[in-house]
């Protein structure tokens, strides 16, 4: 397991942007894992918003995030980022990163949470 720490959340207006960071705790490396971002809504629903494979070549994103959110990783900084643009009130939630499994079946990517997740960072989109 790896310890994950998120940062970058905050309160923004609709249409604004945020960049979230997911870093490994001291001594751990993120570079050996596929990493995903998930959000837990105020109604306690959980949704995967973006996943990135270990080698950075495969991604997953649901339709709600595909055109607005971009996941990337910096191997030198041992960090995975989630750039979120054109934020909407329905994007509000607790965002956390986790190690994930990923698979491509018939050209479609699938992503599921595995055994390590961070505490999360709150994102609130409100006018």
């Amino acid at each position: 397991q790896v310890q994950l720490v998120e940062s970058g959340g905050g309160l923004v207006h609709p249409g604004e942007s945020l960049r979230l960071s997911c870093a490994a705790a001291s001594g751990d490396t993120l570079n050996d894992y596929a990493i995903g971002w998930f959000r837990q809504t105020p109604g306690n629903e959980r949704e995967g918003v973006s996943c990135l494979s270990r080698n950075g070549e495969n991604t997953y994103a649901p339709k709600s995030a595909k055109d607005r959110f971009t996941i990337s990783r910096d191997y030198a900084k041992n960090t995975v980022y989630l750039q979120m643009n054109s934020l909407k009130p329905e994007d509000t939630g607790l965002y956390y990163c986790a190690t994930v499994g990923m698979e491509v079946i018939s050209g479609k990517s699938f992503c599921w949470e595995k055994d390590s997740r961070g505490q999360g960072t709150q994102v609130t989109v409100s006018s």
Side-chain angles (χ1 to χ4, degrees), residues 9-36:
L11 171 62
V12 296
H13 297 301
E16 293 184 342
S17 298
L18 278 174
R19 188 176 79 157
L20 307 183
S21 298
C22 173
S26 178
D28 290 338
T29 176
L30 229 53
N31 296 339
D32 293 337
Y33 300 91
I35 298 294

Side-chain angles (χ1 to χ4, degrees), residues 83-118:
Q83 177 68 42
M84 304 188 295
N85 298 328
S86 303
L87 283 162
K88 305 176 182 180
E90 51 264 42
D91 294 319
T92 293
L94 181 70
Y95 284 70
Y96 64 92
C97 59
T99 55
V100 298
M102 293 184 70
E103 192 167 354
V104 179
I105 300 174
S106 300
K108 187 174 178 181
S109 292
F110 295 86
C111 173
W112 60 93
E113 190 175 337
K114 293 182 79 176
D115 53 4
S116 294
R117 60 179 285 187

Side-chain angles (χ1 to χ4, degrees), residues 36-51 60-66 68-69 82 84 89-98 100 111-113 117:
W37 283 97
F38 299 80
R39 68 179 170 213
Q40 192 152 350
T41 67
N44 228 27
E45 294 180 359
R46 194 165 61 184
E47 177 188 22
V49 296
S50 200
C51 298
Y60 160 85
K63 196 176 288 188
S64 60
K66 214 174 194 67
R68 300 183 296 121
F69 294 1
L82 182 68
M84 304 188 295
E90 51 264 42
D91 294 319
T92 293
L94 181 70
Y95 284 70
Y96 64 92
C97 59
V100 298
C111 173
W112 60 93
E113 190 175 337
R117 60 179 285 187

Side-chain angles (χ1 to χ4, degrees), residues 1-15:
Q1 290 193 347
V2 59
Q3 286 189 301
L4 305 174
V5 181
E6 304 90 342
S7 61
L11 171 62
V12 296
H13 297 301

Side-chain angles (χ1 to χ4, degrees), residues 49-65:
V49 296
S50 200
C51 298
L52 182 63
S53 63
R54 187 173 63 176
N55 64 7
E57 292 182 0
N58 292 323
T59 61
Y60 160 85
K63 196 176 288 188
S64 60

